[in-house]
Amino acid sequence: MTRKWIELSSTTALSGLYLRAARKRKISGDSLPASGLRCHLGVDPQQLEAYRKLCHFSDDGRLPPTFPHVMAFALQMQLLTAADFPFPLLGLVHLHNSIRVLRPLGGISRLRFSVSVDNLQPHEKGATFELITEAEDGLGLLWSQTSRMLCRGLKLGGEPAVADAPEALALSELTRWYADSDIGRRYAKVCGDYNPIHLSAASARLFGFPTAIAHGMWSKAMALAALRGHLPVSGYELEVGFLKPVRLPSEVILNTSPTAAEGQLQLDGHGELVHMRGAWRSLR
């Protein structure tokens, strides 16, 4: 696919993007747009401080590795609510997320973000695509993220791909935390992600959930914050698959392999629930 980039001077206000999302309820096509969006975005110091507190990141002079996702959220929303995007945003399911930290995220006040979609594939419940987000400074690419999203109900030809499961390592508890009933609203206030499934039991029931559920990217951020002292400053990738949602309120346990250049993690609930499973590896 030849990518056509649209350069923006700023992003559309989130309130307008949510109105766009609410208006689109049906699938309107079965191919992804070739255009992507680019925009320079600055770090909001107050938002960064609030995000660190919310996700338990210490202030070490570097951006939390999940914070560029927050910075780019409105740009991602703008792409996924554009007229040429064929799937309704409300109802998309975040299945998998991979973040690469290529260079240290210190001393940053402004980044150039690019967002695009690619790799539409059949899935047993519909079809998946990748939402790709990249961040550059004056020296080039320093951070990237790939989110695999599921659009339920879309039928494509071909068989769903089956990924090989890595050999499981022995895991032990690293830490645990309590996801209280208002964490979805607190995350939304800081990060702008007001998906109704995270806000209250009443709004979550409209989308088939008996209670509100935690944002997957909050769970990943909490895991990264717990691993921060064990990961290198840069040159690594951490990917996770989102499995059973974390129903609010509930306690979760982060289990990891012995911390090393490569390892595995699993976020468990009580009663043999597995909420998230992932791995990290060196890019060196």
Side-chain angles (χ1 to χ4, degrees):
M1 178 190 296
T2 301
R3 186 74 58 202
K4 176 185 176 183
W5 293 105
I6 299 170
E7 302 283 347
L8 303 176
S9 59
S10 63
T11 56
T12 300
L14 280 172
S15 57
L17 297 175
Y18 278 111
L19 284 175
R20 278 193 214 169
R23 293 190 190 109
K24 181 161 184 145
R25 297 300 181 92
K26 296 182 179 179
I27 296 170
S28 60
D30 59 4
S31 61
L32 297 173
S35 57
L37 302 179
R38 281 179 173 159
C39 189
H40 284 88
L41 300 170
V43 173
D44 180 333
Q46 290 184 326
Q47 183 186 40
L48 175 58
E49 181 182 2
Y51 184 79
R52 283 180 172 138
K53 291 179 180 177
L54 181 73
C55 302
H56 297 189
F57 284 103
S58 61
D59 183 357
D60 60 1
R62 293 179 283 137
L63 298 183
T66 44
F67 190 70
H69 165 84
V70 177
M71 293 177 65
F73 181 70
L75 194 63
Q76 295 169 348
M77 284 271 292
Q78 192 160 338
L79 182 73
L80 298 181
T81 57
D84 61 350
F85 186 74
F87 312 139
L89 177 60
L90 294 179
L92 292 180
V93 180
H94 195 175
L95 296 180
H96 186 272
N97 180 273
S98 174
I99 286 175
R100 291 185 166 203
V101 180
L102 304 177
R103 290 188 285 113
L105 299 178
I108 293 170
S109 61
R110 190 172 177 83
L111 292 169
R112 186 196 194 205
F113 283 92
S114 305
V115 297
S116 59
V117 287
D118 203 355
N119 197 25
L120 187 63
Q121 298 287 338
H123 185 274
E124 60 183 1
K125 295 182 180 179
T128 61
F129 68 91
E130 292 178 348
L131 172 62
I132 301 164
T133 307
E134 296 181 332
E136 300 177 340
D137 62 5
L139 299 176
L141 184 67
L142 80 163
W143 178 95
S144 68
Q145 172 183 260
T146 300
S147 296
R148 188 162 68 246
M149 313 296 292
L150 169 66
C151 177
R152 291 177 286 198
L154 177 63
K155 297 185 183 298
L156 296 178
E159 293 296 322
V162 179
D164 295 330
E167 181 181 354
L169 302 178
L171 306 181
S172 59
E173 181 177 333
L174 178 66
T175 188
R176 61 177 63 199
W177 61 82
Y178 187 72
D180 55 35
S181 57
D182 71 342
I183 189 59
R185 294 187 294 275
R186 290 193 287 125
Y187 185 92
K189 184 177 180 181
V190 172
C191 303
D193 186 348
Y194 284 91
N195 189 322
I197 63 176
H198 304 302
L199 304 182
S200 70
S203 60
R205 282 195 289 269
L206 297 175
F207 294 86
F209 294 92
T211 66
I213 63 174
H215 292 78
M217 289 304 295
W218 175 73
S219 295
K220 181 172 184 177
M222 290 287 287
L224 268 164
L227 285 165
R228 195 76 182 275
H230 306 292
L231 294 172
V233 171
S234 63
Y236 68 91
E237 176 183 26
L238 193 147
E239 59 178 343
V240 298
F242 300 114
L243 304 174
K244 296 293 185 181
V246 177
R247 295 183 181 183
L248 302 177
S250 63
E251 184 183 49
V252 295
I253 303 101
L254 179 65
N255 294 292
T256 68
S257 58
T259 51
E262 298 191 359
Q264 295 177 6
L265 64 90
Q266 186 167 296
L267 188 66
D268 294 319
H270 294 282
E272 299 185 355
L273 281 175
V274 179
H275 299 299
M276 184 174 75
R277 186 177 287 130
W280 68 90
R281 67 183 183 91
S282 173
L283 298 175
R284 302 299 186 192

